[in-house]
Amino acid sequence: MTGTAAGTAQRWQGRHRRLLDGLSASGALTPDWRPSFEAVPRHRFLPERIWRYGAGGYVPVHRAGEPGTWWELAYADEPVVTQLDDGAAGGPGEATSSSSMPSLVARMLAELEVGCGGERVLEIGTGTGWNAALLVHRLGDARVVTVEVDPSLAERARQALASAGRAPRVVWGDGAAGWARGAPYDRVLATCSVLRVPGAWVAQTVPGGRIVVPLHRDVWSGGLVSLTVQDGGLARGRFSGRAWFMPLRADRLPSLPVDSATGRRSATGPDPARITEPGFCAWAFARLPDVTMTYADEDGGARRVWLTGRDGSAATAVGDGGGPFEVWQYGPASLWDRVEAAWRAYEAEGRPHQGEFGLTVTRDGRQEIWLRDPGRVIG
């Protein structure tokens, strides 16, 4: 090994160790999964060109041209964008595939509750192949099936897995249909978010098996749910934290125009920063399915919230823990008024936390959101 190569190896090994130590200290990485993370370094599954977000959009980072930045991103606890615009040239520059945040990967693998019983796992969304490699290290090649809708990503992941000495079954296809030829499975893990949990995933999972999946709707992309499959083709479980993932391609939400010709200024009751708390997001997930909410932190600790509706309505406000708060509303509907009404109802329920909300899914795709008890359906 040359001096340069040895120095590069030492640098990534140090970065790798520090990342895993941090994940372990935070509790995200459990002792039973640490050996897999140690044996499967993330950088081996990243392409030579990745992207980071900068002024004006995503900026490419080439391993050969910017090795310091490339290695820093490879071992940061943050997602790494690995594809724009589904791989097409000349697109708008939207991120369409990534290597997920390592702490989130570790937390979701822990949610699977894999033991030593030789469970068979179906992964939806192969991406770079890193998550599949972690599963294979724990379970073995023959017990992991991973499905990827993008043929170029599927092939690249297959090659990366082979280079790392891993050989799960990589299937090119629509993950919404699962993969019936390999069923039944003991576990299903989705690394993309869905509007509705496909019934095929329930049908292809054994009774007692688990399905771990991020959900998204217009108002909230970030609800992780862990379901247990029961006899009779039913899966049920509670929300178990936040998880931001790119949506299943069939479930992507369209970009909608906003009519900003007329704006109406008013005061708002709830602090805009508080409506982004996980409990209310789960409540709004059920009660405001046609409203999109995004937010960002600004200088000084304030949080700006944007709302958009499918009819071109919009609203924006900034919360900083003080008040009163000013809100601007645009378009035909007063979206903030709807959010305030939902907040009042949420407060009347005692402001339940995220873990009090749950989901029931049937093998034919029916889905119900409930609060505290499966019999109390709210959406």
Side-chain angles (χ1 to χ4, degrees), residues 5-19 37-44 63 70-71 74-75:
T8 300
Q10 186 176 13
R11 284 196 297 274
W12 82 253
Q13 289 167 355
R15 292 178 186 274
H16 187 204
R17 184 176 60 256
R18 287 191 293 274
L19 172 64
F37 277 74
E38 290 175 343
V40 184
R42 188 190 195 196
H43 76 268
R44 292 180 179 168
R63 180 173 174 173
W70 193 94
W71 284 101
Y75 284 105

Side-chain angles (χ1 to χ4, degrees), residues 5-378:
T8 300
Q10 186 176 13
R11 284 196 297 274
W12 82 253
Q13 289 167 355
R15 292 178 186 274
H16 187 204
R17 184 176 60 256
R18 287 191 293 274
L19 172 64
L20 300 192
D21 287 347
L23 298 182
S24 295
S26 71
L29 180 57
T30 58
D32 54 342
W33 276 105
R34 175 138 187 171
S36 297
F37 277 74
E38 290 175 343
V40 184
R42 188 190 195 196
H43 76 268
R44 292 180 179 168
F45 294 86
L46 296 179
E48 293 293 307
R49 180 181 62 175
I50 56 181
W51 285 265
R52 60 182 171 85
Y53 196 79
Y58 287 100
V59 178
V61 176
H62 296 266
R63 180 173 174 173
E66 300 178 75
T69 303
W70 193 94
W71 284 101
E72 180 182 352
L73 292 172
Y75 284 105
D77 187 24
E78 58 184 68
V80 174
V81 174
T82 56
Q83 185 195 65
L84 297 182
D85 304 317
D86 296 328
E94 295 182 357
T96 50
S97 188
S98 68
S99 176
S100 303
M101 181 184 298
S103 58
L104 181 54
V105 171
R107 185 159 58 87
M108 290 180 66
L109 289 173
E111 284 285 333
L112 275 184
E113 296 185 358
V114 171
C116 300
E119 292 91 344
R120 299 188 68 252
V121 178
L122 171 66
E123 180 193 40
I124 307 298
T126 310
T128 66
W130 181 48
N131 198 79
L134 293 167
L135 287 165
V136 165
H137 180 269
R138 180 81 181 270
L139 300 170
D141 292 322
R143 298 192 175 276
V144 178
V145 175
T146 178
V147 181
E148 173 57 55
V149 69
D150 186 312
S152 63
L153 292 181
E155 181 56 31
R156 188 193 175 282
R158 185 182 290 109
Q159 293 175 9
L161 286 159
S163 296
R166 317 290 172 183
R169 180 175 289 276
V170 180
V171 177
W172 169 36
D174 182 1
W179 197 59
R181 286 176 56 188
Y185 304 98
D186 302 288
R187 302 288 188 269
V188 174
L189 175 65
T191 60
C192 53
S193 62
V194 297
L195 286 166
R196 307 182 67 84
V197 177
W201 300 357
V202 179
Q204 293 172 23
T205 305
V206 300
R210 285 176 70 80
I211 301 172
V212 177
V213 55
L215 299 176
H216 76 273
R217 282 191 180 177
D218 290 20
V219 75
W220 186 38
S221 178
L224 183 66
V225 67
S226 299
L227 307 171
T228 300
V229 177
Q230 303 176 8
D231 290 325
L234 189 76
R236 178 173 289 149
R238 294 183 182 273
F239 285 78
S240 55
R242 289 187 168 189
W244 287 270
F245 278 92
M246 295 175 188
L248 191 76
R249 290 197 179 181
D251 286 351
R252 289 177 178 172
L253 296 170
S255 298
L256 299 172
V258 173
D259 177 11
S260 58
T262 57
R264 305 179 297 281
R265 186 175 68 178
S266 60
T268 178
D271 183 343
R274 294 176 67 187
I275 69 167
T276 63
E277 64 182 51
F280 181 69
C281 286
W283 177 267
F285 188 90
R287 295 300 179 92
L288 300 171
D290 59 340
V291 177
T292 299
M293 179 172 68
T294 56
Y295 56 87
D297 293 329
E298 300 186 338
D299 293 340
R303 174 165 288 181
R304 177 174 292 278
V305 179
W306 294 270
L307 305 173
T308 55
R310 296 179 184 176
D311 61 355
S313 299
T316 183
V318 178
D320 58 5
F325 309 101
E326 184 180 78
V327 59
W328 281 86
Q329 304 195 75
Y330 307 88
S334 297
L335 295 187
W336 202 274
D337 294 352
R338 291 183 59 195
V339 169
E340 286 202 35
W343 176 267
R344 289 192 295 270
Y346 172 67
E347 284 194 315
E349 285 290 342
R351 292 177 60 187
H353 59 79
Q354 185 185 10
E356 295 182 75
F357 295 87
L359 185 74
T360 299
V361 183
T362 63
R363 61 187 303 150
D364 60 3
R366 287 179 293 129
Q367 181 168 292
E368 296 176 340
I369 302 169
W370 42 269
L371 175 61
R372 299 191 181 98
D373 183 273
R376 188 170 175 212
V377 177
I378 63 170

